Amino acid sequence: MCGIVGYIGEQEACQILVDGLKKLEYRGYDSAGVALLNENGIDVRKSVGKLKALECALENCVPRGHLGIGHTRWATHGRPSDENAHPHSDCTGKLTVVHNGIIENYMALKERLVSEGHEFKSETDTEVAAHLVESYYNGDLAEAVRKAARDMEGSFALVIIATDEPDKIVAARRHSPLVIGLGKGENYLASDVAAFLKHTRKVLFADDDTLAVITRDGVTLTDLNGNVVEKAAQTIEWDAAMAERGGYEHFMLKEIHEQPRALRETMRGRLAPDKDFIELPGINLTEDEIKKIDRIIMIACGTAYHASMAGKYAIEQLCRIPVEIDVASELRYRDPIVDDRTLGIVISQSGETLDTVVGLREVKEKGAKIVAITNVVGSMAARESDGVLYTYAGPEIAVASTKAYTTQLMVLYLIAMYFAQVRGTISPQRAAELRQALWDLPQLAEVILNDYQSVIAAADRYYCFNGFLYMARGINLASALEGALKIKEISYMHAEGYAAGEMKHGPIAMIDPTFVTVAVTVQSKTYDKMLGNIREVKARAGEVIAIAYNGDTGIKDYADRVIYIPQTEEIFSPALVAIPLQLMAYFVAHNRGPAIDQPRNLAKTVTVE
Ligand code: AGP
């Protein structure tokens, strides 16, 4: 996720900006840049790579100025490169912007601006903002930004400076973070307080659709129509490390809480309540090609493999296309049957997992088209695939994958519904119900995250047990495996995920009073069978936690504890079930004490076979 900084005041701004960007490094980035305003205009310096590269570029000739903006870029549109790095300027070079977020309608805006004669230098959605503000600029920067913001759909924290108004920074935001730091005779702004905490703890959090005009001596907030907005300053008590984690104790917990936002970002531009169709431009398959597909092979490792398990159910159910799923490290040794009617779907948060990339090449060489689902623009998986659907989760820092998983599910659901739409395998009415249910998913995730006392209480009871068994049926088998993997990764406890129907074929032998079973009971068709499995565990003195839908009061008679989640369509339920299971793993590990964000023996990205 991009990082933004800004400074206006007495001091030379450049070092303050670079120091601020260093504090935002944890957000992940692939390039960085600064823009300083001085009597000669706006001096923009940027480079691909880490901040070290930018510092080298600044070394021999530090740009001067008491007002400046800076940026670390996490690519979403256009590969990481010097040209795509921020800041970006308009045609005249008199306006310069940095941006965090995704401007969904940037293609339409770009076409309009190109037809008006604007010339673009990068592939980014951000550059559109620079030219859009230019098109409205008439000597009043704030008003031009307000007009541009009204035209833009999607999410943005936009910060802009202009040579003709050298006494101010103008910023606007919608859905992307932006906080203003209040100093004496100087002011700051950033994506989060970590960037300026050493200078000031007094802050203003701007609301959605707010515009801020920041001068040395003050800040004026307005809505996008120019009405003044009053906002009280707050004092931040966090230390610097805590500020990076947004006030959470660990990145994992922060990332769990980011899921509603990440899900929304991943839906944006693809699904909308006022549209009766799904759009997936990145998939790069014609309708004819989609109709021709007679087999799908999904390739992934670890958590991404669990996403593929749920994806298989969704695609087979909605599109009636047979789906094979493969742990990537096994795929090439089984000589899979592939031809030009096969579609390979590669799922990888990093896009760099070597086994997954090798699997991709294997299937591609055999003649399949490949679509990658990845979180990292320009990653190997993205580069080597025919089409790419990004998960807009933002960088995932904790080794244990959370928001990457649920956003991978989201993309798989979108693919299933898109293919069903093209192939006509579900009725328009069913398609509408599913679109609505998918649209509601982030809000239901929010409901879970607003109150999870029952999860904490369960973790407090079971963290010293001998092991966890997760059982489920149908599409939530993926949830059982993912729940067990989360516990293993961060608490080093024995945990297994099993199809509940397999219990009697072995795992039930493990049940005793020191073993807890987590039973996912949200499937209607197999609900009674799950109750039977719970009874069997209870009969052997095992304890049971049920993950059940709100309103299922009867389940209390079977399980020792119940964790309730809101109801959704069955095929989407793994995205909600995942959240209490992630939280359970987190709080169990928290009670046991290991390093949650960086568990022993694990790397975030496995780049060896
Ligand atoms: C899950 O919590 C993991 N850390 C791990 O299983 C991960 O999902 C796997 O290594 C795949 O990574 P990728 O998505 O970057 O390819």
Side-chain angles (χ1 to χ4, degrees), residues 301-304 347-351 353 356 399-401 408 485-486 489 604-606:
C301 295
T303 288
I347 310 170
S348 173
Q349 186 282 130
S350 60
T353 299
T356 304
V399 167
S401 197
Q408 285 162 357
L485 177 64
K486 289 285 92 86
E489 274 188 296
K604 182 70 186 158
T605 306
V606 182

Side-chain angles (χ1 to χ4, degrees), residues 352-363:
E352 301 286 340
T353 299
L354 194 56
D355 279 324
T356 304
V357 173
V358 170
L360 178 165
R361 289 175 187 151
E362 169 84 14
V363 174

Side-chain angles (χ1 to χ4, degrees), residues 163-238:
T163 48
D164 290 346
E165 298 182 50
D167 57 343
K168 65 180 70 136
I169 300 176
V170 173
R173 76 165 284 260
R174 179 187 299 152
H175 305 317
S176 292
L178 191 69
V179 54
I180 299 159
L182 304 171
K184 287 200 178 79
E186 57 183 12
N187 287 309
Y188 302 80
L189 59 96
S191 300
D192 73 53
V193 293
F196 54 67
L197 211 54
K198 75 172 186 192
H199 304 291
T200 179
R201 290 180 168 269
K202 216 168 142 201
V203 302
L204 275 178
F205 288 101
D207 292 327
D208 273 346
D209 287 320
T210 300
L211 179 126
V213 176
I214 301 153
T215 64
R216 285 180 183 206
D217 302 314
V219 177
T220 310
L221 299 178
T222 62
D223 64 19
L224 295 187
N225 294 316
N227 303 308
V228 173
V229 172
E230 296 297 341
K231 187 92 194 170
Q234 299 179 30
T235 304
I236 293 292
E237 308 292 350
W238 303 331

Side-chain angles (χ1 to χ4, degrees), residues 467-599:
F468 279 73
L469 193 134
Y470 291 74
M471 63 175 184
R473 288 173 183 259
I475 196 167
N476 277 299
L477 181 53
S479 310
L481 266 60
E482 177 58 9
L485 177 64
K486 289 285 92 86
I487 286 269
K488 280 187 273 206
E489 274 188 296
I490 59 169
S491 67
Y492 318 145
M493 282 178 87
H494 175 221
E496 303 203 28
Y498 253 96
E502 280 288 291
M503 288 292 287
K504 287 194 269 298
H505 300 282
I508 202 163
M510 294 188 301
I511 304 296
D512 70 16
T514 69
F515 214 79
V516 60
T517 299
V518 181
V520 183
T521 62
V522 298
Q523 244 113 267
S524 51
K525 252 198 270 171
T526 53
Y527 182 79
D528 290 337
K529 286 208 163 68
M530 283 302 299
L531 293 186
N533 293 122
I534 293 175
R535 255 192 243 111
E536 287 157 11
V537 173
K538 293 294 303 164
R540 284 153 186 86
E543 291 209 23
V544 176
I545 309 168
I547 310 289
Y549 276 147
N550 285 339
D552 180 359
T553 47
I555 193 77
K556 287 188 180 151
D557 299 335
Y558 294 82
D560 298 279
R561 285 161 187 270
V562 184
I563 294 168
Y564 284 109
I565 61 167
Q567 288 219 17
T568 181
E569 288 282 345
E570 195 154 305
I571 57 166
F572 304 148
S573 61
L576 296 183
V577 170
I579 299 172
L581 300 186
Q582 294 162 353
L583 289 163
M584 175 82 78
Y586 175 81
F587 286 104
V588 165
H590 196 271
N591 286 339
R592 290 173 70 90
I596 291 180
D597 285 334
Q598 276 161 350

Side-chain angles (χ1 to χ4, degrees), residues 63-360:
R64 286 178 307 99
H66 300 270
L67 180 165
I69 54 181
H71 191 269
T72 45
R73 174 174 188 250
W74 165 266
T76 58
H77 294 78
R79 76 212 139 83
S81 66
D82 284 352
E83 300 73 41
N84 289 335
H86 298 212
H88 289 285
S89 302
D90 69 335
C91 298
T92 63
K94 288 178 155 192
L95 299 171
T96 298
V97 308
V98 291
H99 161 239
N100 171 21
I102 298 168
I103 303 170
E104 271 171 35
N105 58 339
Y106 86 103
M107 278 309 290
L109 292 172
K110 189 168 178 174
E111 276 163 28
R112 181 178 114 198
L113 291 160
V114 168
S115 74
E116 288 168 8
H118 291 263
E119 283 177 21
F120 283 76
K121 298 185 193 76
S122 78
E123 306 157 294
T124 63
D125 52 340
T126 301
E127 196 184 344
V128 166
H131 293 278
L132 193 59
V133 175
E134 178 190 5
S135 73
Y136 286 126
Y137 190 56
N138 209 356
D140 182 346
L141 183 60
E143 187 49 26
V145 175
R146 270 193 289 267
K147 284 184 177 155
R150 291 202 296 261
D151 282 357
M152 292 192 305
E153 292 168 15
S155 56
F156 52 84
L158 190 68
V159 182
I160 185 155
I161 54 177
T163 48
D164 290 346
E165 298 182 50
D167 57 343
K168 65 180 70 136
I169 300 176
V170 173
R173 76 165 284 260
R174 179 187 299 152
H175 305 317
S176 292
L178 191 69
V179 54
I180 299 159
L182 304 171
K184 287 200 178 79
E186 57 183 12
N187 287 309
Y188 302 80
L189 59 96
S191 300
D192 73 53
V193 293
F196 54 67
L197 211 54
K198 75 172 186 192
H199 304 291
T200 179
R201 290 180 168 269
K202 216 168 142 201
V203 302
L204 275 178
F205 288 101
D207 292 327
D208 273 346
D209 287 320
T210 300
L211 179 126
V213 176
I214 301 153
T215 64
R216 285 180 183 206
D217 302 314
V219 177
T220 310
L221 299 178
T222 62
D223 64 19
L224 295 187
N225 294 316
N227 303 308
V228 173
V229 172
E230 296 297 341
K231 187 92 194 170
Q234 299 179 30
T235 304
I236 293 292
E237 308 292 350
W238 303 331
D239 61 24
M242 196 84 166
E244 287 184 357
R245 298 188 298 264
Y248 292 99
E249 198 177 339
H250 296 96
F251 280 110
M252 182 179 175
L253 190 59
K254 175 174 182 255
E255 287 161 5
I256 290 172
H257 277 266
E258 281 172 348
Q259 287 177 109
R261 185 201 53 75
L263 288 168
R264 283 195 184 101
E265 292 288 342
T266 303
M267 279 196 296
R268 235 182 257 296
R270 296 165 171 170
L271 170 71
D274 56 340
K275 283 190 185 151
D276 54 5
F277 51 87
I278 303 240
E279 290 175 283
L280 285 183
I283 201 163
N284 204 17
L285 291 171
T286 64
E287 297 209 343
D288 278 348
E289 283 170 331
I290 292 171
K291 285 180 186 153
K292 242 183 56 189
I293 296 167
D294 67 1
R295 175 207 309 261
I296 293 177
I297 296 187
M298 294 197 197
I299 309 152
C301 295
T303 288
Y305 172 71
H306 299 152
S308 78
M309 288 177 72
K312 170 184 164 73
Y313 268 87
I315 293 177
E316 288 189 340
Q317 209 174 92
L318 300 185
C319 317
R320 308 312 295 161
I321 306 172
V323 180
E324 293 171 24
I325 51 175
D326 265 289
V327 170
S329 52
E330 290 295 323
L331 175 84
R332 66 175 154 151
Y333 301 108
R334 77 165 170 92
D335 194 13
I337 300 164
V338 176
D339 61 26
D340 63 354
R341 300 185 69 158
T342 309
L343 174 69
I345 298 184
V346 170
I347 310 170
S348 173
Q349 186 282 130
S350 60
E352 301 286 340
T353 299
L354 194 56
D355 279 324
T356 304
V357 173
V358 170
L360 178 165

